[in-house]
Amino acid sequence: MTNSSSDLAVSLRGITKEFNDGEVLALRGIDLDVPRGQKLVLMGLSGSGKSTTLRVLNRLHDPTSGEMTVLGEDPMAMSARQLRRFRQRVAFVFQHFNLVGRLTALENVMAGALGTLRGPRYGVMTYPNAMRHEALAQLERVGLGDQAFQKAGTLSGGQQQRVGIARALFQKPELVLADEPVASLDPESSRQIMELLLKVCEEDGLTVICSLHQVELAIEWADRMVGLRHGEIVFDRDASQITIADASTIYASTDPEAA
Amino acid sequence: MSVMETVRPRVLRPPKDKKRRRLQLVGLAVIALFGVALWQTGFTPWNVWGRMDSVVNLIDRMMPPSFVDWQRYVVAVIETLWMVLAGTAIALVLAVPVSALAARNITTGPVAYNICRFIITLTRAVPSLVFALIFVRAIGVGPTAGVLAMGISSIGMIGKFFADRIEEIDMGIVEASRASGATRIQTFFSAVLPQVMTNWISLSLYRIDINLRSAVILGFVGAGGIGLELQRVQGQMVYTRVMAIAIIIFVLVLLTERLSAMARAAVLGREAPAKENPFSLRAMYRGLTARRAGRGGAAPLGAAQAGARDADLQRARTPAWRRPKAEGRISVGWDVFRLRRWIMGVSAVVLTVGSFVLLGFGPVQLIAAIQDIVPYVVSMFPPDFVTNFTRHLDLMLETIWMALAATVLGLIISLPIGILGAKNATFHPIAEKLARFSTVVVRGMPELIIAVLLVVAFGMGPLAGVLALTIGSIGLAGKLIADTIEDTDLSKQNEAMRAVGSSWLQRTVTSTIPTVMPGIVGVGLYMFDVFVRAATVMGIVGAGGIGLALDASIRGRQMDQTLALIIMIFITVYATERFSGWLRRQIL
């Protein structure tokens, strides 16, 4: 990983994160370089620091110490306004979809653009018409064009995550962070959603950092796998060099109870 | 997808389905009616702005507050407190049989049930101030009239909640009691009362809190206490003293609220989950709005369950020397809890008896009062709807316009305060504290007292009433909206909103408000309900609405018209309650 910094989407140096005034040490010094266009999977048990790492990258959490460069910028040095613009370039896909259930799917997708809009928006018609069409196109891309005016809360889990992905794509991001995007879905939907996420990110040439529990899924589409345990990186390998069996042992090795 | 491309319209808009159109219609109707209401009540920007200098003038004349007559005020405050205790005690004594007969599961029959439900509905719908006006006329100025008015008008709310609670009890115990051959009365005391006691005590303490506010207001029409002092200095137009009494009332109301909350916490203590007190304003509101929706709403902790847990606790804690012995006198024995209960019970009885003694309110006075009231009430029959009918109708409409204007204005003001006051939606912790503080401060001022002051500044008429209710709404709706938002999980969707780079305002409008919208509509309907009641009596202090006619008819001794007006108020309040319930079901 000795690329020049401009080729790196993410560069972390000694990132630590404490919660509750140091009571909980979520991250204990993370060093990580992610080249642009890479599809990286974070693995590890719950509480190993996967979600925290992802949330530090767009400053949903502020790191306690360490340095980071994301998309060539230092998020820590940003003003509130700069941070809003920066977050437009970094999309986030959540485990629990995090949609506004009482808004339509279309509005949820368009909410992805709030960082570029001035002032509040209430209702479909308060967004520019061009934006509405663009949002519908993204919904069609994830196969939900006919559900655009359904309330998001009435959709199935798989459908809601499709809306979540459409919202992410609508931001026209350069980096996609996905926090266990299929952990609340059944196996069949999981596969479909992961394939969809992979397909659209490849089409748009995006960098993806995704935390994932399913080893098979990870091997299938990741370029690189990074394992976390107790807030530290315990392995970091090219996905092409590992088989499912290898990955399982690696995964198991991060799990002392299961071993 | 190509099929969709071809049929896609140039301007993309939501499909027009029936529900959406109906909501839009309701929204438009509310806006139109709100406009009419503002017009009808004279609440126009130029009207309000034009009289701003008289408000400034009044504030100027009220400063600095003058406490020279403080001895009088101390005596009056103490009298007010005795009035509250005595009034609540009378209400409790009357509410127990009424609620027992109004509970579907233990009533004696449909006749008793319907009569008692009617008593509850009637006393709930007619404002206590109306009772006070009549009693003051019948038996003269003084606390006796206030105590009786409070006693009778509290039956409604206490009776309703008592009865609802009885309907939730475990009937198995009642059946067991009946099966063992107990009489109805015995069954009530051995099987029903133990199951509801804790809740009843807690509710009674809550009612003391409400009755204090009402005692202050009742005093203003001559029913004694600090309210009477307020009326006196206001009549003399000594505004520095008005200010002093307003401050005293403010502190008194807030202190009582605190005390009653602490006492309730102590009573519920071990039995209620610490998080939510079943008799908090929020639970009350839920209980009121969840009407007939089954066992939902406040859903206080099952008493039987709590009892069982208590028994276990007790057994585990009971030392050997306290357990019943085979010989000698068998008694429960003493422990900290029993001692505490005993002390609280005895002090409640002593205070209550003391309040009657100190008010000079004994059986003789009660009989004398009834002897005065009965012929007076009889003289009101038959009601005269005909005389002044159009004027009364106009004033009744004005009342409804006042309530509507104040509800919408109140929502407009309370929504931002509610959002800022909710921990999970606020801009900043300091903003949350400030917003919460403002709701507490406003709750310290009964709306009618605010109206009294505003009438001085804005002159007689509905404008003062609407303003007073609007200010009062901050205390009611601001708190309810904040509580509603805090009960909603916004963390996930707002995290996503932050992740896309939205501002706080964008998050609030796009995520928070749509999510809590049903709750806000519910609060609005509830406010309308409350404000119609409140607006009916605003006229008594000159702040517009039907109260003006009511006051005039009583002063003019046209008692048949008074009765007609009371019936009109009852019908309006009752109809409003039914209507807002219906609207709630339509929208939500």
Side-chain angles (χ1 to χ4, degrees), chain B residues 97-412:
Chain B
V98 170
S99 63
L101 293 174
R104 211 168 293 133
N105 51 350
I106 65 161
T107 187
T108 54
V111 178
Y113 172 80
N114 283 312
I115 289 176
C116 288
R117 279 284 164 181
F118 179 74
I119 292 175
I120 287 173
T121 312
L122 183 74
T123 47
R124 235 159 67 84
V126 178
S128 57
L129 203 58
V130 175
F131 287 107
L133 274 177
I134 293 171
F135 294 165
V136 166
R137 273 283 145 174
I139 61 184
V141 171
T144 310
V147 170
L148 285 177
M150 229 182 301
I152 288 178
S153 68
S154 308
I155 295 175
M157 183 234 181
I158 296 183
K160 181 180 188 304
F161 279 100
F162 275 18
D164 288 354
R165 193 70 201 83
I166 294 177
E167 287 183 351
E168 284 169 13
I169 61 170
D170 177 0
M171 283 303 283
I173 305 173
V174 174
E175 277 168 21
S177 172
R178 289 216 177 123
S180 71
T183 63
R184 273 182 192 282
I185 305 279
Q186 285 171 333
T187 304
F188 180 78
F189 279 98
S190 63
V192 178
L193 207 53
Q195 294 194 57
V196 296
M197 202 53 182
T198 316
N199 265 280
W200 280 17
I201 292 175
S202 178
L203 176 66
S204 309
L205 289 166
Y206 178 71
R207 187 65 208 189
I208 286 183
D209 183 12
I210 298 182
N211 275 352
L212 178 82
R213 281 158 211 262
S214 116
V216 170
I217 294 162
L218 298 188
F220 196 80
V221 298
I226 189 77
L228 192 58
E229 282 298 305
L230 181 68
Q231 187 215 29
R232 194 177 57 85
V233 295
Q234 201 249 350
Q236 298 165 347
M237 297 195 278
V238 195
Y239 292 110
T240 50
R241 295 189 189 174
V242 170
M243 186 66 189
I245 293 179
I247 292 172
I248 291 172
I249 290 172
F250 175 76
V251 173
L252 186 64
V253 169
L254 286 186
L255 268 183
T256 319
E257 189 179 285
R258 270 296 99 148
L259 276 177
S260 136
M262 277 163 58
R264 273 177 282 151
V267 170
L268 292 172
R270 292 170 300 153
E271 288 167 36
K275 191 171 172 291
E276 188 170 4
N277 177 343
F279 291 106
S280 64
L281 180 59
R282 145 174 21 181
M284 282 290 154
Y285 157 71
R286 282 213 210 104
L288 279 173
T289 52
R291 54 197 301 268
R292 277 157 223 262
R295 299 281 132 87
L301 196 77
Q305 200 186 329
R309 209 171 56 206
D310 260 11
D312 288 346
L313 263 172
Q314 209 90 20
R315 212 165 296 128
R317 283 194 192 130
T318 310
W321 56 268
R322 275 200 55 221
R323 295 200 189 110
K325 294 180 186 70
E327 295 160 37
R329 185 164 164 264
I330 296 176
S331 77
V332 180
W334 290 92
D335 68 353
V336 183
F337 297 112
R338 189 177 174 208
L339 189 68
R340 199 172 70 182
R341 275 201 302 275
W342 198 80
I343 291 173
M344 287 202 282
V346 168
S347 29
V349 170
V350 168
L351 279 172
T352 310
V353 173
S355 66
F356 282 103
V357 172
L358 288 163
L359 287 170
F361 192 142
V364 182
Q365 285 78 9
L366 183 62
I367 291 166
I370 292 173
Q371 275 174 345
D372 285 338
I373 290 171
V374 170
Y376 193 79
V377 171
V378 169
S379 78
M380 294 165 83
F381 285 91
D384 174 9
F385 286 98
V386 183
T387 319
N388 291 330
F389 180 70
T390 48
R391 177 173 154 70
H392 292 169
L393 204 61
D394 278 352
L395 283 170
M396 190 47 104
L397 279 174
E398 185 175 86
T399 309
I400 294 167
W401 291 129
M402 283 167 65
L404 184 65
T407 302
V408 180
L409 285 169
L411 272 183
I412 293 170

